[in-house]
Amino acid sequence: MKNIFNNLFSKKNRSRTISFLMVIVAYILIEVIMNTVGMSRLFKSLLVPVCCYIILGLSLNLVVGISGELSLGHAGFMAIGAFTAVCVSGFCAQSIPNDILRLALSVLCGSIVSGIFGFIISVPVLKLSGDYLAIVTLAFGQIIKSLINNVYLGFDSRGMQFSFVTNELKLEGGKMLLSGPMGATDTAKISNFTSGFVLILFTLYVIYSLINSKYGRAIMAARDNRIAAESIGVDISKTKTLAFVISSVLAGMAGALYALNYSTLQPAKFDFNTSILILVYVVFGGLGNINGTIIATTVLYILPELLRSLQDYRMLMYAIVLIVVMQITNSATLKQTLEKTTKRFFKKGEAQ
Amino acid sequence: MTFLTYLISGLALGSVYAIIALGYTMVYGIAKMLNFAHGDIIMAGGYVAFYAFSRFGLPGGLCIILSILFSTILGVVIERLAYKPLRQASSLSVLITAIGVSYFLENAAQLMFGSDTKIFPTILTDGSLKLFDGQLTISYLTIITIVTCIVIMAGLTSFINKTKIGKAMRACAEDKGAAQLMGININTTISITFAIGSGLAAIAAILLCSTYPSLSPTLGSMPGIKAFTAAVFGGIGSIPGALLGGLLLGIIENLTKAYISTQLSDAIVFTVLIVVLLIKPTGLLGKKENVKV
């Protein structure tokens, strides 16, 4: 028993154990509160989106923190996952009546399609570096948004029907799945908090397995020193592609979960600002820091809701929080005082 | 003739992008940061001109000068307060700060001016020039925009190449440490860069708002992204690159809108960008940096 404990909290596994414990404890706590004291409607409505953004933050951390490439188009993958899932869920509404099964299938399809796009875009992306890479991901996000904005997809007794740019569909009965800038309407809300929780656990499992594997070490080596890693035989483009594709699969998964939590969803939701929002979570939590991402996402997603009493000033406060935190965490004088206090603390410890 | 009309209006739109892109590219060249708040300085410049003209009834020329002055001061103040303490910080921290500043400006504008769209008055002229027996109509605004862009480019190029401050800017862009050893004040140089970039943003704001006369707190975000794209398109850090990138972007956007599809113009513009970067990974006029081991 002690052995297992020691192993779980060994230097290598500590972060992983803490992540899983944190998520599980939070889930149990929220479930208990929901079933005993009750929770306001506002907070209940935040649960699934928070789960989605945690997964998105984690997946972006894989690219930005662990692989070291700035991506500004993460919302694009989210959008692909989201609208694929909406279509699958809408199409299978009759054939698979079971909600959980349909959710699982939609999420699976969403992540696979997003992964395929991730692979396609990784070809041009990984030829570039630095800010040029960032701009290509930004461009990709914009392209996805404007393409989905023009897709009209529906099905009726004659089967699937598709139209691009202008809506020329004449459905006989049947149902519109995507209607251009209006996006998806009348989606059955089949996501729930438990599914979000399960998907977060899955994401954590994937990410930690990757980090602690041969490939993960190669990805981090390529990040820290590209040339040195290359010289010892690490295939840079292969490792970077791996990180990018896994990240896009996870983002698609989160997007699918997100989409099935709302009855209507417009492509405009997945714009540049959403990509930036996820990036803010990752940078706030600390690059490459998994637990930091989870906490930062939760706090920063709920913060604007908590600031609701400030009404119009809440986004202003949010902006000020962003700027001030960045100033504080990068302030040299603050770092010095922090170092001094820790030194004093350790010296005391040694004396005893 | 219709093709020529589209081409000229594309050239005008491209000129606006180029003027904004200059701000991005200069700041990037010297401070090595992506200043995402640049788009919101455009918005601020637009509002100042709007209020000076419509509410206080000042003459047009004075409004433009006021708008440029305000944006310049705003740019320098932002640089001093938000970016200067982060000189040594990682580029991502600076990026997030810039995003914070952008949110701040957008929301402050929303609180002060309301989120409703305002109609921008005709500060510049609204007449037009008729050529070839009225077959080709070019508005004076289009001509003003293109001429302004050319004048700014010529002025800026000679400023950077001929003056002492310009020399200091080039030195800072090359190597900050060495520049400091030569007695160049880096902080002042960066402030001047921000001042010039922000002043240009105000000029772009007036040209943009005169062409598309609607003013809202999020006015700057889309032109900001487009201009940033233009800067990368031409090779970020390069001033002729910003001009070339801006003009090409504007022309491509206008021609796709005219001949292919309005809704798909964004997708096509960004696809062209990706293709160009694939062929020339540092943009059209960007310098390739060789990494020494």
Side-chain angles (χ1 to χ4, degrees), chain B residues 108-131:
Chain B
Q110 200 163 340
L111 281 176
M112 282 192 280
F113 312 125
S115 54
D116 55 321
T117 308
K118 294 186 166 57
I119 309 295
F120 197 78
T122 336
I123 291 183
L124 302 165
T125 154
D126 59 351
S128 57
L129 189 70
K130 288 195 168 55
L131 293 174

Side-chain angles (χ1 to χ4, degrees), chain A residues 133-301:
Chain A
L133 190 152
I135 193 83
V136 169
T137 53
L138 187 158
F140 166 71
Q142 298 285 342
I143 293 171
I144 291 295
K145 195 192 88 184
S146 59
L147 285 185
I148 297 178
N149 239 331
N150 286 304
V151 169
Y152 297 86
L153 188 71
F155 73 94
D156 56 10
S157 49
R158 293 170 296 171
M160 285 290 233
Q161 296 201 26
F162 174 82
S163 145
F164 197 59
V165 182
T166 47
N167 187 6
E168 285 155 0
L169 298 188
K170 290 179 187 70
L171 297 183
E172 296 165 358
K175 189 174 180 290
M176 279 304 277
L177 293 173
L178 294 180
S179 30
M182 300 283 288
T185 46
D186 280 333
T187 313
K189 293 199 245 182
I190 50 178
S191 295
N192 54 40
F193 181 43
T194 309
S195 55
F197 164 71
V198 172
L199 289 181
I200 290 181
L201 289 186
F202 173 73
T203 308
L204 284 174
Y205 173 76
V206 170
I207 288 180
Y208 276 110
S209 309
L210 180 72
I211 293 177
N212 292 326
S213 73
K214 187 175 92 182
Y215 299 107
R217 286 190 291 273
I219 292 169
M220 286 184 271
R223 169 196 66 186
D224 292 338
N225 192 332
R226 192 186 174 108
I227 294 166
E230 225 165 1
S231 70
I232 53 165
V234 172
D235 187 341
I236 303 280
S237 65
K238 208 167 115 189
T239 51
K240 296 241 180 215
T241 309
L242 184 74
F244 202 84
V245 172
I246 291 179
S247 166
S248 57
V249 167
L250 294 175
M253 189 173 89
L257 183 73
Y258 186 86
L260 296 175
N261 185 45
Y262 295 99
S263 57
T264 55
L265 192 64
Q266 285 143 5
K269 170 84 189 83
F270 303 97
D271 59 357
F272 180 60
N273 285 336
T274 308
S275 299
I276 289 295
L277 199 68
I278 307 167
L279 184 68
V280 168
Y281 297 154
V282 173
V283 178
F284 248 68
L287 290 181
N289 189 331
I290 307 290
N291 293 328
T293 304
I294 300 177
I295 296 168
T297 308
T298 317
V299 171
L300 285 180
Y301 192 82

Side-chain angles (χ1 to χ4, degrees), chain B residues 8-9 11-12 15 141-151 207:
Chain B
I8 290 169
S9 61
L11 215 57
S15 304
L141 189 64
T142 310
I143 300 170
I144 291 175
T145 309
I146 297 172
V147 170
T148 312
C149 178
I150 294 168
V151 169
L207 294 173

Side-chain angles (χ1 to χ4, degrees), chain A residues 59-72:
Chain A
S59 63
L60 187 63
N61 205 347
L62 199 60
V63 174
V64 180
I66 292 165
S67 181
E69 305 288 6
L70 178 58
S71 166
L72 296 175

Side-chain angles (χ1 to χ4, degrees), chain A residues 57-116:
Chain A
L58 290 171
S59 63
L60 187 63
N61 205 347
L62 199 60
V63 174
V64 180
I66 292 165
S67 181
E69 305 288 6
L70 178 58
S71 166
L72 296 175
H74 216 54
F77 295 117
M78 189 188 176
I80 294 171
F83 288 103
T84 311
V86 167
C87 292
V88 171
S89 163
F91 191 66
C92 301
Q94 258 86 54
S95 45
I96 309 174
N98 186 334
D99 279 355
I100 297 170
L101 213 62
R102 200 164 77 239
L103 177 66
L105 182 73
S106 313
V107 168
L108 186 71
C109 292
S111 12
I112 290 172
V113 175
S114 172
I116 293 169

Side-chain angles (χ1 to χ4, degrees), chain A residues 64 70 124 128 131-132 135-136 139 142-143 146 150 164-165 227 272 276 283 287 312-313 315-316 319 326-327 330, chain B residues 28 36 82 85-86 89 92-93 96-97 99-100 104 107-108 111 225 228 232 236 263-264 267 271 277-278 281-282:
Chain A
V64 180
L70 178 58
L128 304 166
D131 298 304
Y132 294 98
I135 193 83
V136 169
Q142 298 285 342
I143 293 171
S146 59
N150 286 304
F164 197 59
V165 182
I227 294 166
F272 180 60
I276 289 295
V283 178
L287 290 181
D312 294 340
Y313 292 92
M315 280 316 286
L316 205 64
M326 283 297 130
Q327 304 289 336
N330 287 297
Chain B
Y28 183 88
F36 269 113
L86 299 176
L92 266 179
S93 302
I96 300 291
T97 309
I99 290 162
F104 181 85
N107 287 291
L111 281 176
I225 292 176
F228 171 45
V232 177
I236 197 157
Q263 288 113 306
L264 287 178
T271 312
L277 285 184
L278 272 181
T282 49

